[in-house]
Amino acid sequence: MSSQTFYADAVLFDMDGTLTDSISAVEAAWGKVAQDIGEDPERVIAATHGKRAIDNLAEFKPEIKAHEMDAAVTQFEETILYFADAYNHHGPGSRRGSEATSVFSESTPALTPESSEPSSRNSESSAPSHRPSFLSQVDNAFRMSSVPEYAPTFDDDDMDIAHNEIIASELNSEAKVIEDVMEAWEIEAASVDRSVRILPGVKKMLDSLPQGRYAVATSGAKTYAFGCMARVGITPPPVTITADDKRLKAGKPAPDPFLLAAKCLGYDASKCVVFEDSPSGIRAGVASGATVIAVCTSHERSKIEGCGAHYILENMDFVTCEVAEHGRLKFTIASA
């Protein structure tokens, strides 16, 4: 087995698909968006890979107003994390798993194509979430919504009572329909293990890097990015550029996230290494002037080999890093 070596000053990591694998949860969340807007889940999922939620939501849900977008992104990213945690917190993976098995064996609506299949990425969950369930949020919103008070319409008190009972019955029916739909959504979410996982070679690579010599530049906003890394035991580095960073003028495939990350570290991006997995991220890394190592953890090699990466590896097990005598980072790429 031969090898290649090169040197760099710092490392800029993408997150999902590069450090972590949460593709199943992400695809389920975009599949839900597709269902909500009546679009084909496969088309929406394919179109959103490696791009910021803010850009994707602007495309697929243009009715979201500018002042509502930050809240919409946060809500969407909480949905991703709900999908990631549901199996272990509420489904067969939880302590109540044996009690829930019969419920989860029932037919539930698929939110992604072949949603019961494992992730296409080569793939440990952490602290439990204390967020209220999506169903309870919807139920609370429904109960708190403005319900008109029906003033007496009839001279006969009995008729008034009957009228109000009919109105109450209709409102209860509406609430039951919403509740049934959301219960199905939650049951489906909890029936499939979509836990966030750390990818091969990542821990070894991170452990080999000195503090202050690496950053994360992700298309995820802070809720999702920090949530994913925490779930697999990765401490977000001090320089973590997320999609909601107001200093960014554009997201990937523009080079802005990597350029900002390099600047914050105090290095020129052209003397950095970028680790990426998606076509848009690889193109962003190339455009930044960095040396780009692409990993085939979310896409087949044929899907990324034309994006300009300097090296294409199966995963981070095939590259090592050490600090050289002159202080620069020495990378060794294993090749057959």
Side-chain angles (χ1 to χ4, degrees):
M1 178 178 286
S2 60
S3 62
Q4 302 175 65
T5 62
F6 66 91
Y7 295 85
D9 289 337
V11 184
L12 313 175
F13 292 103
D14 170 50
M15 187 196 70
D16 196 38
T18 301
L19 300 177
T20 63
D21 175 12
S22 65
I23 187 62
S24 291
V26 172
E27 289 186 349
W30 283 119
K32 183 179 182 303
V33 169
Q35 283 195 336
D36 291 345
I37 62 176
E39 288 279 356
D40 174 23
E42 288 189 3
R43 187 181 84 80
V44 173
I45 289 167
T48 54
H49 259 301
K51 299 177 184 176
R52 300 185 301 175
I54 187 173
D55 298 325
N56 291 327
L57 288 173
E59 177 182 354
F60 289 104
K61 302 189 80 173
E63 70 276 9
I64 299 175
K65 296 178 175 61
H67 70 276
E68 300 170 333
M69 186 56 78
D70 285 348
V73 169
T74 298
Q75 182 181 34
F76 173 75
E77 296 200 338
E78 286 177 347
T79 302
I80 296 175
L81 297 177
Y82 183 89
F83 273 111
D85 296 339
Y87 181 87
N88 288 314
H89 291 179
H90 311 296
S94 70
R95 293 178 180 177
R96 300 190 307 274
S98 59
E99 300 170 12
T101 301
S102 62
V103 175
F104 297 120
S105 65
E106 297 174 4
S107 175
T108 55
L111 298 178
T112 60
E114 300 180 351
S115 61
S116 62
E117 294 299 315
S119 163
S120 59
R121 290 181 178 167
N122 305 325
S123 31
E124 298 201 317
S125 301
S126 69
S129 167
H130 297 290
R131 292 192 308 279
S133 70
F134 189 83
L135 172 58
S136 65
Q137 293 179 46
V138 171
D139 183 57
N140 289 338
F142 180 86
R143 295 180 190 281
M144 293 172 65
S145 62
S146 177
V147 178
E149 295 182 5
Y150 291 88
T153 309
F154 308 99
D155 293 333
D156 189 314
D157 288 344
D158 290 337
M159 289 294 289
D160 276 331
I161 293 171
H163 173 72
N164 288 332
E165 287 178 348
I166 291 171
I167 295 299
S169 176
E170 290 176 352
L171 290 176
N172 286 335
S173 294
E174 271 189 63
K176 185 64 170 63
V177 168
I178 291 175
E179 187 176 81
D180 287 346
V181 170
M182 300 326 297
E183 283 180 349
W185 182 87
E186 287 201 322
I187 290 171
E188 198 282 338
S191 68
V192 180
D193 187 358
R194 299 184 176 96
S195 304
V196 183
R197 306 177 194 282
I198 193 166
L199 285 164
V202 168
K203 187 177 187 304
K204 176 191 69 175
M205 176 58 67
L206 292 175
D207 288 346
S208 72
L209 296 169
Q211 289 295 320
R213 301 290 289 276
Y214 68 97
V216 169
T218 173
S219 292
K222 194 170 184 178
T223 297
Y224 167 52
F226 280 65
C228 275
M229 286 188 276
R231 281 162 172 75
V232 297
I234 296 175
T235 300
V239 178
T240 296
I241 308 300
T242 56
D244 46 355
D245 192 311
K246 301 305 181 185
R247 295 171 293 179
L248 290 175
K249 293 182 178 179
K252 303 172 188 177
D256 300 39
F258 292 126
L259 292 174
L260 179 57
K263 180 181 179 181
C264 290
L265 286 176
Y267 296 100
D268 191 304
S270 65
K271 296 181 180 180
C272 293
V273 175
V274 162
F275 281 89
E276 261 289 357
D277 70 298
S278 71
S280 64
I282 294 168
R283 292 189 179 100
V286 172
S288 75
T291 298
V292 178
I293 299 177
V295 287
C296 302
T297 45
S298 65
H299 295 75
E300 295 176 1
R301 179 180 290 263
S302 61
K303 302 293 185 183
I304 61 175
E305 59 187 0
C307 298
H310 299 84
Y311 303 94
I312 301 179
L313 308 176
E314 289 305 306
N315 55 55
M316 282 192 214
D317 275 336
F318 292 84
V319 57
T320 59
C321 178
E322 59 183 315
V323 181
E325 290 183 5
H326 46 67
R328 300 197 77 199
L329 302 177
K330 178 183 178 181
F331 292 86
T332 302
I333 306 288
S335 57

